[in-house]
Structure formats: structure tokens, C-alpha cells
């Protein structure tokens, strides 16, 4: 008696994915298969395709990233297959002969083809054709897109995609309750599929991105802390969207909620306490449990030393026992230091926190110092760098590559 096999996909993260895609792009252009990223909402699938992938393609083709084209079509807005591949209309068989009354059917050129041709005309012979929300479309649209996914065809309707352009798609999983449908087998058979799960590596990459883009560090550190410490026994971030439609925390929704926290923290009467209505405001975006966890995290912020206290006495000021707060302080120091003396004091403080956090945040600090040409001269800073120089060099290189 045979049993139906449970569907499984290769799971990856934003550390392994660039290496996997570099391998794919190393092929001759005519042999580069299409590929897709699937996963829960808000884990930066589309953002990665729009920001990191063009850089990888530029490296593979030996051109500047500014010479890489990018055209995106959102299938969630497509009404039917013809809206994507072009409409069939009747035209005269011989328009130059007024006596020839015969009519034939022809496909119109899809709008996306005009966008791609415009970029090719501007010199972008290599590019990314991004099909967003692929799993949201019905079977008819999936069937019509098979020729775009299949490198042997490499066309959209009657439009031949440029040789140097690659096809990539994104989508949610069926269990994400986003309206996604399973990919038809004949379409999945001609493409590569990578599933992005909310692994620790993905979330650490998200945290680094937040630091580089000045996302509220209190919100980010609260999320990371409760992802490991749990919220009522559950992860802070949702692994999948609940079927009942309740709001949950995703990397995207947490970033959006952080803008409210930015506003409240900028007010003169900010006292490190969230009122009930403020917690409810956060819950409208990230869910009740996650919002309560953020409020709890903020309520304990009085345990932390201020930037000025760290600068005045880095080896003697307060050091919280909670490692999430240690990480928060260290990352704030990296963001705030603006000269050699401040960087030196920050590094002294960082040597006091949990060893793995110390290494990571000091590595980030050293990258910033190198970029800004700060020099740390205290004996403690010099001794620490000499003792751990091999690890710090590897960590710095990793941070520079990910940036």
C-alpha cells in the first residue's frame, strides 16, 4: 500500500543562499535555471531579490551593479493568465492588402516586456526578472508562466526574454494562510526552489540589517531576546500565519511597529513605560503576545547604563545580568560612538559582557572604526585585540561581506 509523500523543500538561510546562487550564476547564461524563494510572510524574500541578487549577478557577469536591470511583476494583482503574458486579439492577416479580409489571432506584447526592453536599450543586457507572489496565482497563470521558468524556453508568452536576464520568483507556503496554492508539478519541475525558514541565522541577518538601517534597537533587541527566551512558551516571531487571522510578529511587521516606538521615545516626557493604549497600538501590527513582551522588555530598561555613564566609567558602570540587555547596550554603543575616545570606552565595556556577544559586537565596532578611521589606544583594547586577533579578523570579514 503506497502512501502520499509529505512535501519537503530545501531549507536555506541568507548565509548559505548567496553561496548557492553564486554556484548557479557561475553557469553559462543559457544554462542558468530560474529559482524561487518561498517562506512565511515578512522574512525579506522580495527585498533580498531586489537588493542582494543584483549584486551577485553583477559579480558573476563581471559588470557593475548599476548595469544590472530589474523588473518586477506582482502576480497577486494579476486577474488572469493573459494579464501576464499578453492578450489574444484579432488582427488582419495582411494589413498591407486592403482586399485581404482574413483575420488571425495574435498575442499583444505584455507590459513587462516593454519594461525589460527599455532597460536593455539603456545598456542593461543583464538583469533580474522578478515574479513576486508566484504562489498566489491560479493554475492557469502558473501554466502560462512555465515557459518563463523553463530556461530552455526563456520566454513570456511570445516575448523572448533577453539572454543575460535571469528569472526568479517568490511566494508563501500553503501553510502560511496567505492564499498561496501549491505549485503545479510541471512548473516546479523546471525551476529551483529554496525555502527560507525563520532560523537563527536568518534572524541574526535581519538584526544586522536593522542596525545598518537605524531601526529602533530597543524593538529589535526585544524581539531577539524573546525569540530565544520565548513569549508564553512560544517564539516571538511566528513560524507561519495563523488560520484564525490574528496578528503576529514577522520581521516586516516588527520594523513597521518600531516607527511608533521611535516617535514615543523622541517625546520629552518619555519614561520607559508603555501605556495600555500604546501596547494596543503595537499589538495592532505585531500581535498581543509580542506587544506585551516588548512592553515588558522596555519596563526593565532602567537597569541599563546610559551612553554617558559608559563613556565616563566603562569598567565600573552598571552591567545588567540579562544578556539581551547586554546585547542592546553593546549594539547601541556601536551605533553612537563618534570618535576614537568613545570607541575605546565602548570596547572596554564590551569586554565585560557575555563572551560570544562581546566578540560579535567588538567586531562590529572595529569595522565601524576602520571605516571612520578611529584608533583605540587603551591598554585593555590593545591587549584584547592581540589576544583574539584571529577570531576578530574572521568576524570582521564576515560582517563586511554581509554588509
Amino acid at each position: 500500500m503506497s502512501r502520499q509523500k509529505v512535501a519537503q523543500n530545501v531549507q536555506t538561510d541568507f548565509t548559505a543562499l548567496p553561496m548557492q546562487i553564486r554556484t548557479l550564476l557561475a553557469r553559462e547564461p543559457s544554462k542558468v535555471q530560474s529559482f524561487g524563494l518561498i517562506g512565511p510572510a515578512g522574512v525579506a524574500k522580495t527585498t533580498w531579490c531586489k537588493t542582494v541578487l543584483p549584486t551577485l549577478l553583477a559579480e558573476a557577469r563581471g559588470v557593475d551593479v548599476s548595469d544590472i536591470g530589474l523588473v518586477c511583476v506582482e502576480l497577486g494583482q494579476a486577474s488572469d493568465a493573459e494579464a501576464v503574458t499578453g492578450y489574444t486579439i484579432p488582427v488582419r492577416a495582411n494589413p498591407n492588402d486592403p482586399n485581404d479580409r482574413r483575420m488571425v489571432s495574435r498575442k499583444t506584447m505584455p507590459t513587462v516586456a516593454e519594461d525589460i526592453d527599455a532597460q536593455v536599450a539603456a545598456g542593461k543586457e543583464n538583469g533580474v526578472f522578478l515574479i513576486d507572489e508566484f504562489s498566489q496565482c491560479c493554475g492557469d497563470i502558473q501554466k502560462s508562466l512555465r515557459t518563463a521558468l523553463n530556461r530552455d524556453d526563456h520566454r513570456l508568452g511570445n516575448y523572448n526574454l533577453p539572454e543575460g536576464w535571469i528569472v526568479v520568483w517568490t511566494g508563501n507556503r500553503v501553510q502560511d494562510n496567505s492564499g498561496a496554492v501549491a505549485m503545479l508539478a510541471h512548473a516546479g519541475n523546471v525551476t529551483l526552489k529554496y525555502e527560507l525558514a525563520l532560523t537563527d541565522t536568518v534572524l541574526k541577518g535581519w538584526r544586522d540589517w536593522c542596525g545598518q538601517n537605524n531601526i529602533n534597537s530597543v524593538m529589535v533587541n526585544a524581539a531577539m531576546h524573546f525569540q530565544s527566551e520565548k513569549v508564553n512558551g512560544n517564539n516571538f516571531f511566528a513560524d507561519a500565519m495563523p488560520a484564525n487571522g490574528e496578528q503576529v510578529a514577522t520581521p516586516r511587521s516588527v520594523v513597521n511597529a518600531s516607527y511608533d516606538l521611535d516617535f514615543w521615545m523622541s517625546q520629552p516626557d518619555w519614561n520607559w513605560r508603555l501605556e495600555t493604549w500604546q501596547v494596543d497600538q503595537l499589538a495592532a501590527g505585531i500581535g498581543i503576545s509580542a506587544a506585551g513582551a516588548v512592553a515588558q522588555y522596555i519596563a526593565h530598561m532602567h537597569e541599563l547604563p546610559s551612553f554617558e555613564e559608559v563613556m565616563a566609567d566603562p569598567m565600573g558602570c552598571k552591567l545588567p545580568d540579562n544578556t539581551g540587555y547586554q546585547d542592546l547596550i553593546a549594539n547601541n554603543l556601536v551605533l553612537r560612538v563618534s570618535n576614537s575616545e568613545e570607541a575605546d570606552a565602548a570596547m572596554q565595556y564590551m569586554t565585560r559582557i557575555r563572551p560570544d556577544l562581546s566578540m560579535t559586537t567588538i567586531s562590529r565596532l572595529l569595522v565601524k572604526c576602520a571605516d571612520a578611521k578611529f584608533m583605540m589606544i587603551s591598554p585593555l583594547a590593545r591587549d584584547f585585540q592581540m589576544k583574539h586577533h584571529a577570531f576578530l579578523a574572521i568576524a570582521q570579514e564576515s560582517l563586511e561581506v554581509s554588509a
Side-chain angles (χ1 to χ4, degrees), residues 310-312 314 333 340-350 376:
V310 174
M311 294 299 102
L333 291 173
S340 297
E341 290 75 18
E342 291 179 351
D344 197 278
M347 183 171 181
Q348 292 180 58
Y349 186 87
M350 290 174 187
M376 289 177 284

Side-chain angles (χ1 to χ4, degrees), residues 91-94 99-104:
V91 297
R92 294 179 60 180
N94 187 359
N99 296 318
D100 190 341
R101 303 285 183 174
R102 292 175 302 152
M103 303 295 290
V104 295

